[in-house]
Amino acid sequence: MSEDQNKTESKVEGHKKASYHLRGTIAETLRADAPAFDEADASLLKFHGVYQQDDRDVRQERRKAGLGEKTMFMVRLAIPGGALSATMFMVRLAIPGGALSAEQYLRLDELVDRHEFRSMRVTTRQGIQFHGVLKHDLKETIAAVNRSLLTTLSACGDVERNVMTCPAPLADRDHVRLRELADAIARDLRPQSKAYFEIWLDEEKVATTEGEEPFYGDRYLPRKFKTGIALASDNCIDVYSYDCGLVAITEGPEIRGFNLVVAGGLGMTHNKPDTFAALGQTVAFIEPAHAVEAVRAVCAVFRDYGNRVDRRHARLKYLLEQWGLDGFREAYERYVNFPLHPPVVLAEPGCDDHLGTHRQGDGRYFHGVYIENGRIIDADGCRMRSALRTIMRELRPGVRLTPHQNMLLTDLTEAQVARVEALLRDHGVRLAGELSAARRYSMACPALPTCGLAMAESERLMPSVVDAFEAELTRLGLRDAPLTMRMTGCPNGCSRPYTADIAFVGRKPDVYHVYVGGSLAGIRMADLFAADVATEALVPTLRPLLEAWARDRGVGESLGDYYQRLLAPAQSRWKITGKEDETRGLVQLRLAGR
């Protein structure tokens, strides 16, 4: 890179390079009375699994009081000294494949009590987040996570994030191999810097950083990098929405190999047509022995060629747009020492949310528990947190977190399954069979009040939105019709809205863009159906489409499939572009003319 190009790199690139391999002055600030970390350290904290956040609910009050904007919350807490004076953080765990033991879960649950979080949250990427961690509790919280043999390292930051795979604890070789592979990729691409252990676990400082990051170097990646591993028959993780994906193709009881998928990503920016959401494209078929190396090489291409000037374009999808698929494959071949075979043509995958009771294949069962928007809390008559704590203490099941923000309780006997169901009912938790399709497949990001990017509500609003649509769908006889519904407070797409049947993407307070036409299988992008829709107008805006779907749908036809049939000639595009008005108008004209 030339000297002139170096001058134009983003500030975050400078923070990383000057950080002494992620150390910065984090340890010094932890010991100091400063209420928050400076800009450089705040960017480095993400590599350690920590976000410095702002309680948007009290921002104006803080300004009036002259206290700044460094108060962080998820749930409003009763804190001695008042909410206006408490500095807080979000802490995220990286849990490959979402696998926990009951003992580990209970230790995390204890953290909720000690810090008065009142809740923890299952993420859409099979992790766990704590919102509202006080600065003076930050070090002990991360140390406690590590004592439970878990970590927050690389849960955030410009590195390989949490590696995802199907959470079903099935005993067949395919699922076992996928779980092993997720662990192997996570180990291979985890940062090697000792900074994490020095800062949070009081390990002795090393004298030099020479060779400390043999893969990442001193600048790490241009931005985050996400990897998922799926079966060709079950895309429960939305594998096409990540930077890198491995789609396992089976032959009998064995994995024959993987289709390598690259350059998915669902973040974009409103009114910036040069940013877009995109599904990944298949580069090649690779043999099983090369799976870890294949992912590492994709990550290396991004490391070496990704945009380090404009972070809005610092994702692999923009590199693919620049080079084209053939150009990417040509560059990629220079990074690997194994053959790239033509991709295997695949049928449309299924998508199992794994809720309810299932056989594991080893004489045991697992039971999938629905957790609304991933929030584990006792509230509004549903004592989810108490129910799960009781189950963990009494039955000691295994735990798997799902990409739909739910939880699988594993390794149960038939009698234990009955006990799980009884305990859930006793605590006001609805079982899978009692949920409408719209609720079962709904997801929302945290958004306000903690996310600094949020333009509108999401998690706090989504339950009432689902209630309203549930009533409308029941009226139309569609309560159990296949339907994915997702909401996000900004266009960055943390709840994977752009692959859903229906999605609401925040534009400003109480105003959303409405997208329609994705699929549960996660292989199709949704189109912008209506722009700048007020919260109270969400149901009326979609009512004509829902009524037409109820009247004309084929057997088992989802809303997204029906929309695409209605759209017919235009079809769904793989990118959300400036042609959205034309597409939206075509569908609405056809609806009006029926």
Side-chain angles (χ1 to χ4, degrees), residues 181 266 424 438 501 567 587:
L181 187 54
L266 299 187
L424 292 172
D501 290 292
L567 189 60
V587 173

Side-chain angles (χ1 to χ4, degrees), residues 55 74 132 161 270 278 301 312 334 343 380 387 402 457 534:
D55 181 3
M74 167 47 70
R161 299 284 186 94
H270 287 312
V301 172
R312 277 191 319 204
R334 297 196 292 269
D380 302 325
T402 85
E457 293 283 0

